[in-house]
């Protein structure tokens, strides 16, 4: 299978509780993807194929700004063509 695009759901935590939220994210949700997990997934996916597009979303990924920056920095080193963030 050829994977060219993928996304990470960084967290379910979000300051909003939108009724239309696909993930049922909200302020009471716990947990987030670790940098170690993100790095491992990025290495595996980029070793299999040339990745054109990578998106990080949640909940609200900007709640974990430092982690988000680390993941983006590592993704850039993997030569991913486009990196995006979806925020509320």
């Amino acid at each position: 299978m050829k994977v060219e695009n993928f996304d990470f759901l960084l967290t379910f935590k979000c300051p909003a509780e939108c009724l239309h939220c696909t993930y049922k994210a909200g302020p009471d949700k716990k947990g987030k993807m670790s940098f170690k997990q993100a790095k491992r997934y990025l290495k595996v996916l980029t070793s299999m194929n040339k990745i054109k597009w990578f998106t990080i979303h949640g909940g609200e990924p900007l709640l974990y700004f430092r982690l988000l920056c680390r993941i983006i920095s590592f993704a850039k080193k993997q030569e991913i063509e486009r990196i995006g963030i979806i925020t509320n």
Side-chain angles (χ1 to χ4, degrees), residues 8-14 21 23 25 56-61 86:
F8 285 173
L9 194 145
L10 189 64
T11 182
F12 287 101
K13 189 170 185 74
C14 182
C21 181
Y23 305 111
I56 305 170
H57 58 96
E60 179 49 70
I86 300 172

Side-chain angles (χ1 to χ4, degrees), residues 68-85:
L68 184 63
C69 290
R70 287 183 72 195
I71 293 170
I72 290 169
S73 177
F74 186 79
K76 285 182 177 182
K77 291 176 186 172
Q78 304 307 303
E79 298 180 3
I80 296 172
E81 291 180 28
R82 296 181 73 176
I83 302 168
I85 303 168

Side-chain angles (χ1 to χ4, degrees), residues 41-87:
Y41 297 143
L42 284 164
K43 280 184 174 182
V44 168
L45 289 165
T46 57
S47 71
M48 294 168 43
N49 297 295
K50 174 81 172 140
I51 301 298
K52 293 182 179 179
W53 187 277
F54 166 53
T55 305
I56 305 170
H57 58 96
E60 179 49 70
L62 293 174
L63 291 173
Y64 301 101
F65 188 73
R66 287 186 182 147
L67 174 60
L68 184 63
C69 290
R70 287 183 72 195
I71 293 170
I72 290 169
S73 177
F74 186 79
K76 285 182 177 182
K77 291 176 186 172
Q78 304 307 303
E79 298 180 3
I80 296 172
E81 291 180 28
R82 296 181 73 176
I83 302 168
I85 303 168
I86 300 172
T87 179

